DNA sequence: TCTTTTATGAGAATTATTCTCTTTTAAGAA
DNA sequence: TTCTTAAAAGAGAATAATTCTCATAAAAGA
């Protein structure tokens, strides 16, 4: 898609088939691991080197095209949703869902406007909301 | 120490030198990785198998003696502070500090008492506060 | 002290990620 | 278009983090 190409060139990145596939994969899979992305790309398209995927993901994070998200597993996941949001983490399995709540963000902003944390300058607050998804 | 032994037996765990060392290490090091714990124990005391450390850490988490904490590295850290709290994550290095704020917790509890997340039952909310530590 | 269950150790295996080095390719210049 | 060149990708080895397997050791209650 033209928009994928645009996203790359906006960030001053060379357009390569690998980068386009990886970005498409991230947009198609919810909070994927590097391995999820590799499997997704290899289904249809050509082979891709795992090192390339890790390197490209790193570049994308650096350029702000995607974000890293943390879980209590030793694997890094990636997020294509760039606007500020939080995550619902299943306490039973590996499911993660986006949680967008501007009202909450407003409350937090107000709270930390008043209550300064001494010796620390806040850049971003992310909630990890752990719980159970019903059915 | 007697209290370390007590903590183990309270949870119905057999008291072993390895488990005592690991628990002492966790109490001595801030948010350690498994490897931090292994190095700490090996300084003074005897050797310990890495597999033992991972297995014991897992047991401790299961029994609620410690908690896992997540960072944006592919390594798991552990936390000995069991009362509900949040974390300040340095955006520059790997430093993590506990952040305890009951007033904030109260605000969050109230907020989510009203605002239900549909299809999801909250168990715990943890804030990852990313920013810079001054000097 | 004996018995049984559970834990530990050693080391191999697996998984996730990074690195090195060679070859390929995107993209601007000519 | 073709040429040039910096940047990217590929292959595969290396490293890091964690898990597994199975033989031995040792807690803890009988
Ligand atoms: Mn790793
Ligand atoms: Mn791993
Ligand atoms: Zn998300
Ligand atoms: Zn903590």
């Amino acid at each position: 898609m033209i928009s994928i190409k645009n996203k790359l060139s906006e960030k001053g990145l060379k357009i390569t088939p690998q980068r386009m596939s990886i970005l498409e994969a991230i947009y198609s899979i919810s909070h994927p691991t590097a391995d999820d992305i590799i499997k997704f790309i290899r289904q249809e398209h050509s082979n891709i080197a795992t090192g390339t995927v890790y390197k490209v993901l790193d570049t994308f994070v650096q350029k702000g095209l995607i974000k890293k998200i943390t879980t209590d597993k030793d694997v890094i996941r990636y997020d294509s949703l760039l606007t500020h949001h939080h995550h619902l983490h299943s306490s039973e399995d590996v499911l993660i869902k986006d949680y967008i709540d501007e009202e909450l963000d407003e409350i937090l902003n107000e709270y930390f406007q008043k209550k300064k944390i001494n010796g620390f300058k806040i850049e971003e607050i992310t909630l990890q909301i752990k719980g159970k998804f019903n059915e």
Side-chain angles (χ1 to χ4, degrees), chain A residues 24-25 40 54 56 60-61 78 87 102 108 116 121 123:
Chain A
E24 273 185 326
F40 182 90
Y54 281 100
V56 167
F60 286 178
V61 170
Y78 297 88
H87 289 113
E102 286 171 15
L108 291 171
K116 296 293 181 190
K121 182 151 168 292
E123 287 166 357

Side-chain angles (χ1 to χ4, degrees), chain A residues 48-104:
Chain A
I48 190 169
T50 68
T52 301
V53 173
Y54 281 100
K55 186 126 45 76
V56 167
L57 287 170
D58 226 56
T59 305
F60 286 178
V61 170
Q62 251 57 60
K63 294 288 182 177
L65 276 173
I66 61 175
K67 287 179 170 180
K68 281 188 181 187
I69 62 179
T70 70
T71 71
D72 55 1
K73 300 280 153 30
D74 81 316
V75 60
I76 295 170
R77 291 180 173 274
Y78 297 88
D79 200 336
S80 61
L81 183 56
L82 295 175
T83 53
H84 181 66
H85 68 286
H86 310 284
H87 289 113
L88 309 178
H89 294 255
S90 170
S91 56
E92 299 179 308
D93 54 53
V94 85
L95 185 61
I96 297 169
K97 254 192 96 186
D98 291 324
Y99 178 66
I100 299 164
D101 187 339
E102 286 171 15
E103 190 186 346
L104 173 64

